[in-house]
Amino acid sequence: MKNIYITDLDHTFLRSDLSISDYTKKIWNAHSPEAILGIATARTYKKTAQFLKGVHVTAPMILLDGALIATVDKKIIDTKFLSKEEGDVIIDVGAKLGIYPFVLSLVGDDLSEAFSYSTTLNSYQCEIIKRYANDDHTSQHKNLRAMQRNFKIVYMADEAILVELKSELESLFGGSLKYILAPEAYMGCHFLTILHKDADKAHGIRSVSEAVGFDLEKLTVFGDNYNDIGMFELANQAVAVANAQDGVKAKADIVLPHTNDEDGVAHYLEGLLDG
């Protein structure tokens, strides 16, 4: 049975400038004849497809933190949605604290995505929106509301206010939702991501395993942040890049000497080719 390699994107496979080096593409693609190659990311399908031009992906992709499992050619394998009712309550609780989220939703069965946000933005969100200036799936709303099928709701702010928001949401929803609070490595803030309770990379890997038919004993995963820990716990080999969060490194079987900007994943995979 083939080995399986699944990597996170941001701060793991992607460099900090959101590029993938020719070296990384070459080494990654060299494994495609004898391995199953996959991606597990918080990113949308559209952004992921843009980043992965020239990169071989042979397994369904785990997208939006596991809320969407889809193939490169847009075949949907699995979805985990927040309802409109849940989404609107989440938005209203944040509004009472003076913060508003990004809402990522599915608006068509052809993987048409919506990225909705409020006219009230903090400085961190403004930086993110600049990166989406030319995207046609973004929309700004004075009265932000959720859609019918929401993949996830994401807040960006200082840690203290997100801790308070998370506590408020847990008191309302308990364990019926998933809450991921994690630092953003380069902007000096934190993210709070709210998802369906079964939307995570670990559930995503199980969905991909069922779709492709691979053995978890043959699985190696690469990551850097707390949303990667679930797949670390499932994989036979969990590999953290050198720039990973300390808590993630503690869960890894291997901590690489190279960062994402030093092509850490590719260096590890090249060692396997040489072996």
Side-chain angles (χ1 to χ4, degrees):
M1 183 169 285
K2 290 183 176 182
N3 290 320
I4 309 98
Y5 302 109
I6 294 179
T7 184
D8 171 54
L9 284 184
D10 288 86
H11 313 313
T12 301
F13 198 63
L14 294 177
R15 291 185 167 189
S16 299
D17 63 2
L18 303 182
S19 68
I20 300 174
S21 72
D22 289 340
Y23 165 67
T24 285
K25 290 180 183 179
K26 175 183 175 182
I27 298 302
W28 177 266
N29 291 347
H31 280 271
S32 63
E34 43 51 69
I36 297 169
L37 303 175
I39 300 296
T41 179
R43 295 275 186 176
T44 64
Y45 173 88
K46 183 176 181 179
K47 277 294 180 185
T48 300
Q50 290 173 358
F51 292 140
L52 294 179
K53 288 179 180 178
V55 176
H56 296 178
V57 177
T58 57
M61 298 184 294
I62 300 165
L63 304 165
L64 294 154
D65 286 310
L68 171 64
I69 314 298
T71 64
V72 173
D73 59 358
K74 292 189 173 184
K75 179 183 178 182
I76 296 176
I77 304 298
D78 194 16
T79 53
K80 303 293 183 187
F81 294 121
L82 296 170
S83 70
K84 175 173 174 54
E85 293 73 22
E86 290 170 327
D88 285 343
V89 171
I90 292 165
I91 293 168
D92 291 341
V93 172
K96 291 178 183 178
L97 297 174
I99 56 175
Y100 295 84
F102 298 133
V103 182
L104 289 88
S105 312
L106 181 69
V107 293
D109 293 332
D110 61 345
L111 276 185
S112 298
E113 300 159 343
F115 184 109
S116 308
Y117 58 96
S118 173
T119 52
T120 302
L121 298 170
N122 60 34
S123 59
Y124 308 119
Q125 291 173 309
C126 288
E127 284 300 310
I128 294 293
I129 293 302
K130 288 178 184 177
R131 303 175 190 177
Y132 288 84
N134 298 319
D135 283 13
D136 57 9
H137 69 300
T138 62
S139 59
Q140 191 171 31
H141 304 268
K142 186 174 182 179
N143 181 30
L144 180 65
R145 296 283 86 189
M147 293 191 176
Q148 293 300 322
R149 297 182 292 177
N150 306 285
F151 287 122
K152 64 179 181 176
I153 294 176
V154 183
Y155 286 88
M156 293 181 68
D158 293 327
E159 182 179 15
I161 193 168
L162 294 183
V163 168
E164 182 178 356
L165 175 58
K166 181 172 179 282
S167 177
E168 291 279 347
L169 294 174
E170 287 176 328
S171 69
L172 287 172
F173 293 104
S176 66
L177 300 180
K178 184 177 295 294
Y179 320 89
I180 302 173
L181 179 60
E184 206 299 317
Y186 298 102
M187 293 183 65
C189 67
H190 278 64
F191 285 102
L192 176 61
T193 303
I194 302 105
L195 306 114
H196 183 282
K197 65 181 179 63
D198 293 331
D200 56 45
K201 292 184 180 182
H203 280 89
I205 283 176
R206 293 196 183 280
S207 292
V208 173
S209 175
E210 291 171 4
V212 176
F214 66 70
D215 182 351
L216 293 175
E217 288 298 315
K218 305 289 285 184
L219 174 64
T220 298
V221 298
F222 305 89
D224 76 292
N225 214 332
Y226 292 101
N227 63 340
D228 298 318
I229 288 178
M231 66 177 185
F232 272 33
E233 293 172 344
L234 271 184
N236 181 57
Q237 193 84 279
V239 182
V241 285
N243 54 288
Q245 299 293 327
D246 288 343
V248 179
K249 290 179 179 177
K251 296 287 187 178
D253 299 304
I254 297 172
V255 178
L256 300 177
H258 301 99
T259 68
N260 63 313
D261 287 321
E262 298 166 330
D263 300 301
V265 172
H267 280 293
Y268 175 86
L269 292 173
E270 185 176 34
L272 299 182
L273 288 172
D274 292 341

